[in-house]
């Protein structure tokens, strides 16, 4: 899928995707972007300029913690890890997202006469 | 709301003090630099030149300065509030401690200020050099020292038109010497009453009035006494044990008086035994012994006894004779 065809994220879903990406373990920012893009078959485009402010905001809220370490390319990188509060937050975000998706699906499946 | 504030506070407290804004900014720049570097490597691996890859990575990332500023704001926005609160409270605490220190330092550096807050008499006592000592020696008729004798001292002062009377006691050492330190002022007038009592020695006292400055060592010569036994009886002549007896004074046949101040004489109090008797070794026949007696159920009452001849017993019957100061002599008893 070409870059200009990638879907933009709905506002508010970036946090949920970041938290989800950290569920298996610690990642640095670049790895988070690549995981989201690869897992979505390149369907989602992460605005990298939005990623890092989001990471710092979530760290401030206690959902994630960071630690400097060595990357796969043997460079110094900042790794983020999910906290217990972050896991709880992810659960709530997923519940809200699924509720939203079901509601939108119901609307889209509805016949015009039912409206 | 409260939970969020608590978490923010905890994070603030966990933030190293050395983590300054510059350090935080450098960390954000390092993080962004790593990201752009990784993206450049990715593009280079896909065949782009390093220069093009770097330019493309930069373009994809966006405005680095703006994003770094957003990261900084996101990281410290709430912490800044706590930091300012912290600084404010530290400043208030510093001012409070400084004020307290300044106040206490001023009080310590000016003891007269502290003294002035005390009652006038006490303040004057502390203000004056209250370092005068009373020393002396007790000797027998052969000028030999009398050891283990009682020395009772009362010091009177009149600071700031007040009156203070303090009592002190001492025992003589093997050389018959005694010393009581810091008992009278140096810079103001005082008076001293001192009484000396030893076993089988006559009671003697002296009074030093309108005295100032240091007091010269006091020497008392105590001749031997015969003493006498005092019998205290109840209504029908029954012995009255447990009566407290205090030798309060001795008047010689010549009229010379020797006094023991009640304030200083607690160590001299004796109790009548089961026969109602007590030995009073500080008197000579012909002396008038001034005594204070207190029965188990009564208060202190003064009595005067003409000291009987050696070996005779003087008797007091407190319940029979209600009048005070009745002289009992051996002939009467």
């Amino acid at each position: 899928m070409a870059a200009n065809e990638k879907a933009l994220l709905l506002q508010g879903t970036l946090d949920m995707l970041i938290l989800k990406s950290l569920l298996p373990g610690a990642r640095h920012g670049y790895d988070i972007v690549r995981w989201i893009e690869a897992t979505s078959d390149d369907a989602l485009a992460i605005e990298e300029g939005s990623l890092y402010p989001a990471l710092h905001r979530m760290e401030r809220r206690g959902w994630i913690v960071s630690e400097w370490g060595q990357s796969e390319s043997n460079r110094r990188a900042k790794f983020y890890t999910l906290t217990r509060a972050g896991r709880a937050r992810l659960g709530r975000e997923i519940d809200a997202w699924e509720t939203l998706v079901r509601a939108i699906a119901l609307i889209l499946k509805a016949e015009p006469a039912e409206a | 709301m409260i939970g969020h504030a608590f978490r923010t506070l905890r994070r603030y407290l966990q933030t190293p003090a050395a983590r300054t804004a510059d350090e935080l900014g450098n960390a954000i720049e390092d993080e962004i630099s790593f990201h752009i570097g990784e993206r450049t490597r990715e593009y280079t691996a896909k065949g782009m030149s390093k220069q093009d890859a770097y330019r493309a990575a930069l373009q994809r990332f966006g405005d680095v300065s703006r994003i770094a500023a957003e990261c900084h704001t996101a990281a410290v926005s709430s912490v800044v509030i706590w930091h300012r609160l912290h600084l404010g409270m530290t400043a208030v605490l510093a001012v409070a401690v400084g004020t307290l220190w300044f106040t206490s330092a001023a009080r310590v550096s000016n003891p007269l200020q502290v003294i002035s807050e005390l009652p006038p008499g006490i303040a004057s006592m502390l203000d004056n050099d209250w370092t005068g000592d009373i020393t002396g020696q007790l000797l027998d008729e052969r000028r030999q020292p009398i050891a283990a004798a009682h020395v009772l001292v009362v010091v009177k002062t009149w600071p700031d038109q007040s009156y203070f009377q303090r009592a002190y006691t001492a025992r003589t050492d093997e050389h018959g010497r005694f010393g009581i330190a810091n008992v009278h002022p140096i810079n103001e007038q005082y008076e001293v009453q001192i009484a000396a009592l030893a076993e089988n020695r006559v009671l003697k006292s002296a009074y030093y009035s309108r005295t100032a400055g240091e007091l010269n060592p006091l020497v008392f010569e105590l001749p031997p006494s015969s003493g006498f036994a005092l019998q205290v009886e109840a209504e029908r002549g029954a012995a009255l044990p447990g009566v407290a007896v205090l030798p309060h004074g001795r008047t010689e046949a010549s009229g010379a008086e020797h006094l023991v101040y009640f304030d200083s004489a607690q160590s001299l109090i004796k109790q009548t035994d089961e026969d109602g008797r007590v030995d009073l070794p500080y008197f000579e026949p012909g002396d008038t012994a001034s005594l204070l007696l207190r029965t188990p159920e009564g208060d202190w009452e003064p009595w005067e006894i003409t000291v009987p001849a050696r070996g005779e017993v003087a008797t007091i019957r407190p319940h029979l004779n209600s009048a005070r100061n009745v002289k009992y002599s051996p002939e009467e008893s």
Side-chain angles (χ1 to χ4, degrees):
Chain A
M1 187 180 285
N4 59 355
E5 293 174 340
K6 288 183 178 179
L8 292 175
L9 288 176
L10 281 172
Q11 192 167 2
T13 57
L14 178 60
D15 289 2
M16 179 176 63
L17 297 184
I18 292 173
L19 292 172
K20 177 67 178 182
S21 73
L22 296 176
L23 200 54
R27 294 181 192 275
H28 49 71
Y30 179 73
D31 196 19
I32 292 171
V33 172
R34 289 202 58 180
W35 183 86
I36 292 173
E37 289 175 345
T39 308
S40 66
D41 287 336
D42 280 339
L44 294 177
I46 301 292
E47 282 190 43
E48 295 174 8
S50 301
L51 172 70
Y52 287 96
L55 285 169
H56 284 275
R57 188 183 64 251
M58 287 194 285
E59 186 180 16
R60 192 192 75 210
R61 290 176 176 173
W63 300 346
I64 58 176
V65 291
S66 65
E67 187 177 18
W68 289 91
Q70 292 294 117
S71 71
E72 307 83 359
S73 58
N74 210 26
R75 295 183 62 195
R76 185 168 173 269
K78 193 177 183 183
F79 288 84
Y80 294 91
T81 306
L82 205 57
T83 64
R84 183 182 296 177
R87 287 176 187 273
R89 178 69 186 186
L90 175 60
R92 290 195 297 274
E93 295 248 355
I94 290 174
D95 289 344
W97 172 255
E98 288 175 345
T99 301
L100 178 64
V101 168
R102 279 197 301 273
I104 292 174
L106 285 174
I107 291 169
L108 295 179
K109 288 176 185 174
E111 293 296 328
E114 297 176 22
Chain B
M1 180 65 182
I2 295 174
H4 176 67
F6 178 74
R7 282 193 299 273
T8 310
L9 173 61
R10 186 174 63 182
R11 181 167 176 273
Y12 171 69
L13 294 175
Q14 290 171 344
T15 301
R19 190 177 176 183
T20 63
D22 284 346
E23 286 174 325
L24 183 60
N26 291 338
I28 292 170
E29 286 179 11
D30 289 347
E31 188 176 23
I32 293 174
S33 175
F34 169 78
H35 185 105
I36 292 172
E38 289 298 296
R39 186 66 80 187
T40 301
R41 280 162 50 86
E42 178 191 334
Y43 289 159
T44 305
K46 288 178 179 176
M48 294 177 70
S49 68
K50 278 191 173 180
Q51 194 172 6
D52 289 344
Y54 179 69
R55 190 177 298 121
L58 272 179
Q59 188 176 1
R60 176 165 179 178
F61 192 86
D63 186 345
V64 173
S65 298
R66 179 184 58 79
I67 294 168
E70 287 179 10
C71 288
H72 193 277
T73 303
V76 302
S77 60
S78 60
V79 175
V80 163
I81 296 172
W82 284 107
H83 184 61
R84 288 174 180 166
L85 189 63
H86 184 178
L87 288 178
M89 292 182 67
T90 303
V92 169
L93 192 62
V95 169
V97 170
T99 304
L100 204 61
W101 176 84
F102 182 78
T103 306
S104 61
R107 287 166 66 92
V108 169
S109 63
N110 186 8
L112 290 178
Q113 182 181 346
V114 178
I115 289 173
S116 67
E117 296 170 5
L118 296 170
I122 298 290
S124 177
M125 286 170 63
L126 296 174
D127 193 20
N128 283 282
D129 186 11
W130 196 273
T131 56
D133 302 337
I134 292 179
T135 60
Q137 190 177 25
L138 302 192
L139 302 171
D140 63 14
E141 70 282 4
R142 294 171 297 160
R143 306 292 292 177
Q144 295 300 306
I146 301 174
H150 293 272
V151 178
L152 314 178
V153 174
V154 171
V155 178
K156 304 175 183 179
T157 54
W158 293 263
D160 290 344
Q161 290 76 48
S162 303
Y163 172 68
F164 284 92
Q165 177 172 305
R166 285 178 162 188
Y168 306 88
T169 61
R171 301 293 292 268
T172 54
D173 61 15
E174 67 270 25
H175 305 294
R177 299 186 188 281
F178 64 90
I180 309 173
N182 303 325
V183 293
H184 68 77
I186 300 295
N187 299 330
E188 63 180 277
Q189 198 173 81
Y190 63 94
E191 297 187 353
V192 173
Q193 199 278 343
I194 182 167
L197 300 95
E199 288 297 311
N200 302 317
R201 300 279 161 184
V202 294
L203 158 64
K204 278 195 172 182
S205 74
Y207 196 91
Y208 302 87
S209 61
R210 299 190 180 282
T211 306
E214 297 283 358
L215 196 64
N216 291 326
L218 311 174
V219 178
F220 284 85
E221 188 174 310
L222 304 184
S225 66
S226 62
F228 73 99
L230 178 69
Q231 177 83 26
V232 183
E233 296 178 350
E235 291 180 32
R236 298 183 180 178
L240 199 57
V243 177
V245 180
L246 190 155
H248 189 40
R250 181 175 81 91
T251 304
E252 299 179 23
S254 64
E257 291 186 351
H258 304 275
L259 291 176
V260 172
Y261 276 45
F262 183 81
D263 289 352
S264 62
Q266 301 305 305
S267 60
L268 300 178
I269 296 174
K270 294 184 174 182
Q271 303 280 338
T272 54
D273 59 17
E274 57 187 11
D275 297 323
R277 185 167 294 196
V278 64
D279 290 325
L280 297 170
Y282 312 116
F283 302 92
E284 270 288 279
D287 287 344
T288 299
S290 298
L291 306 174
L292 291 174
L293 267 66
R294 184 180 63 191
T295 56
E297 64 275 7
D299 293 325
W300 288 106
E301 292 189 2
W303 292 84
E304 287 187 350
I305 298 286
T306 299
V307 177
R310 184 185 296 267
E312 295 186 11
V313 177
T315 303
I316 288 179
R317 294 172 181 167
H319 299 284
L320 275 182
N321 195 324
S322 60
R324 292 181 177 181
N325 301 329
V326 174
K327 291 185 180 179
Y328 280 81
S329 65
E331 297 78 29
E332 291 174 308
S333 62

